[in-house]
């Protein structure tokens, strides 16, 4: 049985990872340092992007705000967001992040039994509490980008990976790459090591369903380190590297399918 998470697990993790991200970026000497994970961005760009996220999530949870209707339009959406920043001062941006994050988490904390479903990028939708998993991914992955650029430590708790995965799952069907998935039918059984998290990705003629009620027999089973699964999903490490280093292993009738799974989605 999979671990049960409450909205308070998301809230606590979002507060902790957001605080860690702020602590990291405030320690950086040169905010104009270029990042490797997001070509063209500086650390200041990255901080500005992340700082805008909590307020945007609050708007979306209220049925307001804006989002790109196609996942492939997200880079342009982000570029406009960064270009319209009123400041590039990291201290001011991170204070905005913390203040807006407190407001967002208070909002989620006071949801009633009927949690709102909010629109999201790629014309998808997600429960507004589970969407915190996507926000946690922003903190963790962009923290990884910044730490890599400045040579700072950035340990990632494997227990965070399932929260991020579950937050992303409702939107992933809207993030498939139509060309890479054209005509593709296969069932992937994915297991995160060291925990009970396990999920099924089932493609049928290019359409994706996650954890269907009656999945077909798996074409490939994948056992993967949770942190590696997270970083591979965000395009920060390659599946080939994961296999070569023993952090992932695939078996079943079509084990070769594992190497191409991440490539079937539009990069986040």
């Amino acid at each position: 049985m999979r671990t049960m998470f409450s909205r308070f697990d998301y809230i606590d993790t979002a507060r902790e990872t957001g605080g860690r991200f702020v602590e990291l970026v405030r320690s950086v000497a040169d905010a104009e340092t270029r990042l490797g994970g997001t070509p063209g961005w500086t650390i200041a760009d990255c901080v500005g992007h992340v700082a805008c996220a909590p307020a945007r999530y609050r708007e979306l949870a209220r049925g307001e705000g804006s989002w790109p209707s196609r996942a492939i339009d997200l880079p342009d959406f982000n570029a406009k967001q960064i270009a319209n920043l009123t400041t590039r001062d990291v201290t001011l941006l991170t204070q905005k992040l913390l203040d807006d994050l407190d407001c967002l988490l208070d909002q989620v904390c006071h949801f009633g039994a009927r949690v709102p479903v909010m629109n999201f990028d790629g014309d998808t939708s997600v429960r507004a509490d589970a969407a915190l998993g996507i926000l946690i991914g922003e903190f963790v992955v962009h923290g990884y980008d910044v730490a890599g650029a400045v040579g700072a430590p950035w340990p990632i708790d494997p227990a965070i990976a399932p929260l991020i995965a579950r937050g992303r799952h409702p939107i992933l069907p809207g993030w498939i790459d139509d060309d890479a998935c054209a005509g593709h039918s296969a069932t992937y059984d994915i297991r995160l090591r060291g925990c009970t998290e396990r999920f099924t990705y089932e493609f049928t003629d290019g359409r994706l369903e996650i954890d269907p009620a009656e999945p077909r027999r798996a074409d490939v089973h994948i056992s993967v380190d949770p942190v590696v699964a997270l970083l591979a999903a965000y395009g920060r490490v390659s599946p080939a590297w994961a296999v070569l280093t023993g952090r992932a292993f695939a078996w079943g009738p079509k084990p070769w399918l594992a190497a191409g799974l991440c490539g079937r989605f539009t990069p986040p």
Side-chain angles (χ1 to χ4, degrees), residues 1 7 35 66 93 95 102 126 159 173 198 204 208 233 250 258:
M1 181 180 294
R7 75 178 63 168
L35 299 181
S66 60
L93 288 170
Q95 190 58 55
D102 279 345
V126 57
R198 179 176 179 179
T204 303
L208 171 65

Side-chain angles (χ1 to χ4, degrees), residues 190-255:
I190 305 167
R191 311 173 188 192
L192 301 187
R193 294 177 182 172
C195 64
T196 57
E197 198 72 5
R198 179 176 179 179
F199 33 85
T200 301
Y201 287 7
E202 188 164 276
F203 290 86
T204 303
D205 196 22
R207 298 179 63 85
L208 171 65
E209 183 178 2
I210 297 177
D211 290 333
E214 297 182 4
R216 300 188 300 263
R217 180 171 175 243
D219 294 285
V220 56
H221 304 274
I222 304 170
S223 170
V224 59
D225 175 90
V227 174
V228 170
L230 166 64
L231 295 177
Y234 280 84
R236 273 30 178 206
V237 301
S238 74
W241 173 86
V243 171
L244 289 173
T245 58
R247 291 169 172 84
F249 179 74
W251 72 99
K254 300 178 180 179

Side-chain angles (χ1 to χ4, degrees), residues 29 33 36 43 56 73 81 110 125 130-131 136-137 156 178 190 193 196 218 224 227-228 235 244 252 265:
T33 300
I43 290 174
R56 179 174 175 245
D73 294 330
Q81 179 188 65
H110 288 91
S125 60
I136 294 164
I156 299 174
D178 290 335
I190 305 167
R193 294 177 182 172
T196 57
V224 59
V227 174
V228 170
L244 289 173
F265 298 93

